[in-house]
Amino acid sequence: MTFMLWAVALGMTITAVWRFPALRSGNTMQRALWACSAAFAATVWCRVPQVKHALDNSPVTDLSALLKYVTSLVAILAALRYITAAYGEPSGDSDRHVAVSRRISHVAHTCALVALVALVVLFFTAVDRSHPSIDFADAQAGSLGGSLFLTIQYTYLGVAAGTCCYQWARASRRAEKRVLKVGLALMATAMAIYTVYPVLRTVTTWVPPDVSAVTMRTVADSVSMTVAFLWAAGAAVPSTIAISTRWTTWQTLRKLHPLWSDLMSVFPHHALQQPGSKVIESLRCVPSLDVRLDRRTQEIADGVEQLRHHASPELLSVAEDLAESHEDPGAAAEAYWIRAAQQSERSGRRSAIPSRKLREKPLTSYVSEANWLMRVVSVPVSADVVRMLHERAGEPPIDDEPPFGWRQGPPPSSVRRGPDRARARRDRSARG
């Protein structure tokens, strides 16, 4: 049991530290989530035997009990604040449950100071603390001052937890994403336990059961660990999704950096922020990752559009024909065309009339655009392929090496077999 208490306390502390940056933001939801994590962590730490022994044997006897109950109230108040911030203002009869929860939250926050003051006053005046107790609630069972102290605590805790359980259970049923549904269900389960447990503890406070203090302590610790674990696991689900999304975005930015850097070095007027090295771009924090990815896809698209002035009219048809044997012909054709057009630009070729546009793609967001560009940059393009493209397009050969940054690979099988299919196709069209 001691090991589990340490594990849960450390886990909750790590969660609170992880969410600490939320204090610098103006997001009420994130601040409330941090406060809930930190208060839950403090509550569990007060149950760790070594911490409990140190606090209980301090000048204030049973100090661990007072701190435990106060921090648990703070945690549940923060959870209520999180709910009201998440749902916002109610609008209409369909949001009656939101309005009810907001009223309960408002009353709970209004009465919080009164409850905390009452608990502190009762703790130092009416509660018998002649010696440290193994289980505070069991030791105070049957005494008027201790029972009143615990009744205030458990009533407040149970009502607030019941409100959280009600809201999170409803949100879980209506959630569209499975992971979010699971996360909310776990948090609702934790609050359901915290709703039933205070009722049972209140009953045992006024009607003491014939059970040892060690047994009651074990039950209380088990409930606290279970609630902390379920709540932390449920709250971590949305965070895990966010972390996964950020990691994917960061990886996408890194893989698109060579193409973006090549294009922006040639067309710098299209870049809102001049490209740095791959290391510098990886460590950049401002603007946010999603904003940078949105900008980068737009800037790459602008750069590719400018390459139309440097590509010959036949180049795209040749690239599409050459890419037919590739496993991803659309992305391969675009990769071949971009590389060859970049070589033409470097050699000084330019036409006032741009060549025809690349084929339209059903891309509805910057994410889908980035996914397409990832397919394009993953295609290996060798110097032999670029040279073949220029020859088949009827351009003089270019001896320049390909621009730095792109993947290079062996020429596709279509280059090594048979006649020039692009020229044959044009001949067939002419005879048609």
Side-chain angles (χ1 to χ4, degrees):
M1 182 62 70
T2 301
F3 172 78
M4 290 300 296
L5 281 169
W6 272 98
V8 173
L10 288 172
M12 292 299 296
T13 302
I14 292 172
T15 302
V17 173
W18 175 32
R19 295 188 178 280
F20 185 77
L23 289 180
R24 297 197 303 267
S25 69
N27 191 317
T28 304
M29 291 174 55
Q30 295 301 321
R31 287 184 176 182
L33 208 53
W34 173 83
C36 197
S37 301
F40 261 134
T43 301
V44 179
W45 275 115
C46 290
R47 291 184 175 275
V48 173
Q50 292 81 353
V51 178
K52 181 181 184 311
H53 177 77
L55 292 173
D56 289 348
N57 289 277
S58 67
V60 180
T61 306
D62 279 340
L63 179 60
S64 66
L66 178 63
L67 294 179
K68 175 182 65 179
Y69 290 129
V70 169
T71 53
S72 63
L73 283 182
V74 173
I76 206 68
L77 282 172
L80 278 175
R81 175 64 61 86
Y82 175 78
I83 286 178
T84 54
Y87 280 94
E89 294 291 341
S91 56
D93 294 339
S94 60
D95 292 327
R96 185 174 299 171
H97 67 285
V98 179
V100 171
S101 296
R102 288 184 67 86
R103 282 197 293 270
I104 293 175
S105 176
H106 179 71
V107 172
H109 282 82
T110 302
C111 299
L113 182 60
V114 176
L116 289 176
V117 170
L119 289 177
V120 172
V121 171
L122 287 172
F123 182 82
F124 285 102
T125 58
V127 174
D128 179 16
R129 298 181 295 108
S130 55
H131 59 275
S133 59
I134 297 175
D135 182 77
F136 181 81
D138 181 73
Q140 299 301 323
S143 66
L144 180 60
S147 297
L148 183 59
F149 174 92
L150 293 170
T151 299
I152 294 174
Q153 161 69 21
Y154 288 134
T155 300
Y156 203 93
L157 182 65
V159 172
T163 304
C164 294
C165 175
Y166 172 66
Q167 284 288 24
W168 283 335
R170 285 183 63 95
S172 176
R173 289 195 301 268
R174 301 164 76 178
E176 296 181 358
K177 294 184 178 180
R178 185 173 201 148
V179 287
L180 186 57
K181 186 185 292 287
V182 171
L184 289 169
L186 289 173
M187 295 172 74
T189 303
M191 292 300 102
I193 296 174
Y194 246 23
T195 303
V196 176
Y197 175 73
V199 175
L200 299 177
R201 284 299 257 175
T202 302
V203 173
T204 58
T205 296
W206 292 99
V207 184
D210 189 16
V211 181
S212 68
V214 175
T215 301
M216 295 300 293
R217 166 79 178 173
T218 302
V219 172
D221 288 345
S222 300
V223 170
S224 295
M225 286 191 298
T226 302
V227 169
F229 174 77
L230 289 173
W231 187 89
V237 170
S239 301
T240 303
I241 297 172
I243 290 174
S244 176
T245 302
R246 290 176 185 175
W247 172 255
T248 301
T249 303
W250 185 77
Q251 288 285 78
T252 302
L253 284 168
R254 287 187 71 252
K255 291 179 180 179
L256 293 181
H257 178 268
L259 173 60
W260 172 70
S261 180
D262 286 347
L263 290 172
M264 293 305 100
S265 63
V266 177
F267 310 111
H269 54 286
H270 286 287
L272 292 176
Q273 192 172 34
Q274 292 305 309
S277 67
K278 205 169 196 177
V279 175
I280 293 176
E281 291 295 333
S282 298
L283 298 177
R284 200 186 294 276
C285 298
V286 178
S288 61
L289 288 172
D290 53 342
V291 172
R292 271 185 283 162
L293 184 59
D294 188 12
R295 284 186 184 177
R296 193 156 298 184
T297 55
Q298 294 179 33
E299 290 168 356
I300 290 175
D302 293 338
V304 170
E305 179 69 17
Q306 291 299 312
L307 288 178
R308 291 174 56 205
H309 289 279
H310 304 277
S312 64
E314 297 293 335
L315 186 59
L316 184 56
S317 298
V318 171
E320 290 174 343
D321 189 71
L322 191 62
E324 284 182 358
S325 62
H326 196 276
E327 59 183 9
D328 191 357
E334 189 161 319
Y336 294 163
W337 183 88
I338 292 175
R339 173 63 72 82
Q342 283 182 300
Q343 288 292 81
S344 295
E345 187 278 330
R346 293 181 69 203
S347 68
R349 294 176 182 172
R350 178 176 173 81
S351 172
I353 302 176
S355 60
R356 71 182 178 93
K357 291 184 177 182
L358 297 173
R359 294 188 181 275
E360 295 290 335
K361 297 170 285 293
L363 305 176
T364 58
S365 66
Y366 75 91
V367 176
S368 57
E369 179 72 19
N371 291 336
W372 169 258
L373 290 173
M374 288 281 286
R375 290 165 57 186
V376 172
V377 299
S378 67
V379 176
V381 184
S382 67
D384 290 337
V385 171
V386 176
R387 191 175 299 109
M388 183 65 70
L389 286 165
H390 288 304
E391 290 176 357
R392 292 186 177 186
E395 298 179 350
I398 300 175
D399 295 329
D400 248 349
E401 285 299 315
F404 174 78
W406 278 68
R407 293 181 60 192
Q408 297 191 35
S413 57
S414 60
V415 176
R416 297 192 293 269
R417 69 175 187 225
D420 186 336
R421 292 190 296 172
R423 187 173 301 166
R425 178 182 294 176
R426 290 198 300 274
D427 293 343
R428 287 196 299 271
S429 300
R431 290 198 301 269

